[in-house]
Amino acid sequence: MSGCPYFAKRDIRHQQKDEEERDDSQDGTNKASKGGIIYGDYLQLDKVVTAQVLQSELKGNKIHDEHLFIVTHQAYELWFKQILWELDSVREIFISGHVRDERNMLKVNTRIHRIVMIFRLLVDQFNVLETMTALDFFDFREYLTPASGFQSLQFRLLENKIGVPDNLRVPYNRRHYRDNFRGQDSELLFESEQEPSLIQLVEQWLARTPGLEENGFNFWGKLEVNITKALKMEKEKLERKPESEDKDEHMAEFHKQRDVLTSLFDEKRHDHLVSKGERRLSYKALKGALMIYFYREEPRFQVPFQLLTSLMDIDTLMTKWRYNHV
Amino acid sequence: MSGCPFLAKKHQLFTSKHLTDEDDDAQKGINRASKGGIVYGDYLELNKVLDAQVLQSELKGNKIHDEHLFIITHQAYELWFKQILWELDSVRELFINDGMRDERNMLKVVSRIHRITMIFRLLVDQFAVLETMTAMDFYDFREYLTPASGFQSLQFRLLENKIGVVDSLRVPYNRRHYRDNFQGLDSKAILKSEQEPTLLKLVEQWLERTPGLETDGFDFWGKFEANVDQALKCEKQKIEKMPESETKQEMLEDLSKQTELFTSLFDSKRHEHLLSKGDRRLSFKALQGALMINFYREEPRFQVPFQLLTSLMEIDTLMTKWRYNHVCMVHRMIGSKAGTGGSSGYHYLRSTVSDRYKVFVDLFNLATYLVPRSWIPKLNPNIHKFLYTAECYDSSYSSSSSCSSCSSEDSE
């Protein structure tokens, strides 16, 4: 501390303190002379930091923990907005066709990964609200009715724009989820169901994966031939082995594997599963995805592979989010 | 899916879709009125919160995508700062009301301080989200931000002050007082936060009253000093009886160092000197109380107080980690360039990651004085009744504001 150059001047600063009191009158001058915006105005903190009104207080029975409840939900909604910002920008890149310029892949991937990072934070955020006990929540819960997370517009928009299908939603109260909203909100929600979702856009992109062209590399055709041949050889190898319990087990396993792989090439079966909602991507898109997996180390497929991984991360994290919520 | 009771009615659900949509718009007012009460969006004032994101780059005609993330991240930080201040002020209030004499309030205090640490943990992790922005992307909109700067974050300063960061220990920058960044009401609020009792001050006063310190009572300090004295003497005699060797010399030297250390511990004048230098922050008596709580943490009456001391150190640790994460990120974003607030940016921030800003540094340093269990003065629960809960009506409590008023906890 003795070497600190400002230390010596400490007394001077304290002498100046009296002058500071006169500074209040210079309120306007300082800001104008600097020009430009200051922190609090830039972030519109006058709006953000005054938006916490406790219902329990309004009703004359202020409960301390309600503040945490409010701030937590507001933080969630701020981040939902950010996710929508990133999501819409990515969808736009696909919709506008700019995704065909593969230089845009870095941007797409970065933004989807950013969504993943935000979801990670949102999953961790439950730990903070969990410092509130059930007893403390009980003390103010009555003042909240009928407000409910079902009315979170941004959450629904998020689900729809990623690609949660309406007909797979679990209904509740025998009402459509959109019934919780009116007017502009309801329209926005409807739009988000109609416009291309992330999964639809990714599906179209996957279907265009280079190497699928039948009159080109014909990945799928070659794969089917290879698998059929390899399975045949496996079978012959196994059959040549002497009879034993092991052999029977191996044969059973082999048949299972063969059935799984054979079903892969059964397009009718795929379409059936899609109609049931058990598969979501088109057959062609699935081929593209498998191609990217197998050839992920090829320079052209490296970033696309990262994108597919990040898309799965989003699903994983949303599931964790839902589970934590429960 | 086949077992789902609603699935059978799926057609009904969807055919009625069109009807309800048209009718509902007209029923807008009726539905809410008939329900009564508040809806989610209004409860959370989302019309304010979600309408507060204005990109400077867009205003200036050059919209940069990543600026939105920058804004949201800082707004989230400020929301959580508000929450921390809410918890902090409520805890300070509890201490100010009755000095924490009603020990039933300890659970609340510890829960809220712990909640503050949980929030800080989140805030430390939050950097990872902003770090998805590259330095190049930041560069594209940084020019539109001047002169806005984190130095102007009112809540951050209030937070520092109310916990107990000492003004004279702050690292100056631009040769200006940190309060100069604020005007009018904000400046007044900051001045107030410097003058009102800080968490550090309130905890100090509480520690000074730790049961067992009374010199005419258990006299922990007196007993402890005597025990340490004797134990060190014994150690010395034991070592001196050993045959001459290099090991013996080393052991004697170690013992000598240890003796010096403990002599300094019991030296109240030395403590006052370190206090005036800012190397120590708690009073001598408060330090004794903290050491007592540490040694006897398993006694029922000290269990929750011990948790409190642990959480207070956790706050310091997490704030240091926050500052460090901030430094690393800033370094990556602007290298060695100056900050928008005019400071040296990275260099200034790096200097704040130091013990100067550690409020409860004394609690950390208590680990210096740990001793073998056998040196700690023995307690006899039959004689030393203070180990269990306090008797509400004994003479050490102000009898007027005792148990009945304690239960009205909403004095915050």
Side-chain angles (χ1 to χ4, degrees), chain A residues 27 37 39 42-44 47 49 52 64-67 74 77 81-82 86 114 131 147 151 182, chain B residues 31 38 40 43-44 50-51 53 65-68 75 78 82-83 87 115 132 148 152 183:
Chain A
D27 238 329
I37 198 167
Y39 183 87
Y42 175 53
L43 301 175
Q44 298 197 41
K47 281 178 168 179
V49 168
Q52 295 75 32
H64 177 86
D65 279 12
E66 191 185 349
H67 197 277
Q74 289 173 331
E77 291 288 337
K81 182 165 190 191
Q82 186 58 37
E86 303 296 340
R114 179 176 292 166
T131 62
Q151 299 147 8
R182 308 257 174 267
Chain B
N31 253 335
I38 197 168
Y40 182 88
Y43 175 54
L44 301 175
L50 297 181
D51 191 42
Q53 294 76 33
H65 176 87
D66 279 11
E67 191 184 349
H68 198 275
Q75 289 173 333
E78 291 288 335
K82 179 161 194 200
Q83 186 60 37
E87 303 295 340
R115 178 177 291 168
T132 62
Q152 299 146 7
Q183 322 290 171

Side-chain angles (χ1 to χ4, degrees), chain B residues 239-251:
Chain B
I239 299 175
E240 282 178 337
K241 282 206 196 90
M242 284 166 67
E244 287 303 318
S245 72
E246 213 177 284
T247 322
K248 176 178 173 177
Q249 283 313 306
E250 275 172 31
M251 285 175 80

Side-chain angles (χ1 to χ4, degrees), chain B residues 222-239:
Chain B
K223 289 198 168 78
F224 184 48
E225 184 168 11
N227 280 18
V228 169
D229 237 10
Q230 187 170 34
L232 288 172
K233 264 203 190 79
C234 275
E235 274 296 308
K236 186 164 191 196
Q237 285 170 1
K238 231 167 67 183
I239 299 175

Side-chain angles (χ1 to χ4, degrees), chain B residues 349-391:
Chain B
L349 288 173
R350 204 174 58 175
S351 68
T352 65
V353 183
S354 90
D355 277 1
R356 284 166 165 256
Y357 287 83
K358 253 198 181 146
V359 174
F360 298 98
V361 63
D362 292 339
L363 297 180
F364 289 88
N365 287 329
L366 284 182
T368 317
Y369 304 107
L370 295 180
V371 296
R373 276 195 189 253
S374 56
W375 295 20
I376 299 173
K378 302 252 179 301
L379 286 169
N380 183 347
N382 292 319
I383 305 172
H384 308 119
K385 300 257 185 250
F386 66 83
L387 298 174
Y388 294 90
T389 50
E391 291 145 32

Side-chain angles (χ1 to χ4, degrees), chain A residues 287-305:
Chain A
K287 294 181 195 175
L290 206 55
M291 173 134 198
I292 293 174
Y293 268 33
F294 286 157
Y295 302 105
R296 62 193 174 282
E297 291 181 346
E298 300 304 324
R300 200 173 179 191
F301 291 150
Q302 288 179 8
V303 175
F305 175 69

Side-chain angles (χ1 to χ4, degrees), chain B residues 171-393:
Chain B
V171 174
Y173 55 89
N174 289 354
R175 300 179 195 203
R176 293 169 81 221
H177 193 249
Y178 82 96
R179 217 189 318 121
D180 288 348
N181 280 283
F182 304 93
Q183 322 290 171
L185 283 175
D186 286 358
S187 185
K188 286 201 174 71
I190 293 206
L191 189 62
K192 211 161 147 226
S193 72
E194 286 178 32
Q195 295 166 341
E196 285 177 342
T198 63
L199 186 63
L200 174 67
K201 192 97 221 133
L202 295 163
V203 165
E204 178 188 66
Q205 291 165 6
W206 168 75
L207 282 172
E208 285 172 353
R209 292 194 342 267
T210 304
L213 289 181
E214 310 84 359
T215 42
D216 60 345
F218 179 67
D219 187 25
F220 163 68
W221 204 243
K223 289 198 168 78
F224 184 48
E225 184 168 11
N227 280 18
V228 169
D229 237 10
Q230 187 170 34
L232 288 172
K233 264 203 190 79
C234 275
E235 274 296 308
K236 186 164 191 196
Q237 285 170 1
K238 231 167 67 183
I239 299 175
E240 282 178 337
K241 282 206 196 90
M242 284 166 67
E244 287 303 318
S245 72
E246 213 177 284
T247 322
K248 176 178 173 177
Q249 283 313 306
E250 275 172 31
M251 285 175 80
L252 278 175
E253 267 172 46
D254 283 344
L255 186 70
S256 172
K257 277 200 204 120
Q258 204 187 13
T259 309
E260 221 183 284
L261 192 74
F262 279 101
T263 311
S264 73
L265 173 65
F266 296 108
D267 183 353
S268 68
K269 279 209 169 48
R270 180 171 172 278
H271 179 89
E272 299 306 317
H273 172 65
L274 292 172
L275 207 60
S276 70
K277 282 212 303 175
D279 288 351
R280 284 200 187 162
R281 314 286 169 80
L282 291 173
S283 69
F284 198 47
K285 194 120 197 267
L287 213 69
Q288 296 169 20
L291 202 54
M292 175 142 197
I293 292 175
N294 270 299
F295 284 158
Y296 302 108
R297 65 193 172 282
E298 290 179 346
E299 301 306 328
R301 196 165 178 201
F302 292 149
Q303 289 178 6
V304 177
F306 176 70
Q307 290 174 337
L308 177 61
L309 296 186
T310 305
S311 287
L312 291 173
M313 286 191 285
E314 190 67 28
I315 290 184
D316 266 336
T317 304
L318 287 163
M319 281 205 83
T320 306
K321 286 182 179 177
W322 188 94
R323 294 180 197 275
Y324 184 65
N325 274 22
H326 194 213
V327 166
C328 289
M329 193 188 59
V330 166
H331 194 204
R332 188 159 74 81
M333 294 297 175
I334 66 173
S336 305
K337 282 191 255 192
T340 45
S343 80
S344 56
Y346 165 65
H347 292 287
Y348 161 75
L349 288 173
R350 204 174 58 175
S351 68
T352 65
V353 183
S354 90
D355 277 1
R356 284 166 165 256
Y357 287 83
K358 253 198 181 146
V359 174
F360 298 98
V361 63
D362 292 339
L363 297 180
F364 289 88
N365 287 329
L366 284 182
T368 317
Y369 304 107
L370 295 180
V371 296
R373 276 195 189 253
S374 56
W375 295 20
I376 299 173
K378 302 252 179 301
L379 286 169
N380 183 347
N382 292 319
I383 305 172
H384 308 119
K385 300 257 185 250
F386 66 83
L387 298 174
Y388 294 90
T389 50
E391 291 145 32
C392 252
Y393 298 96

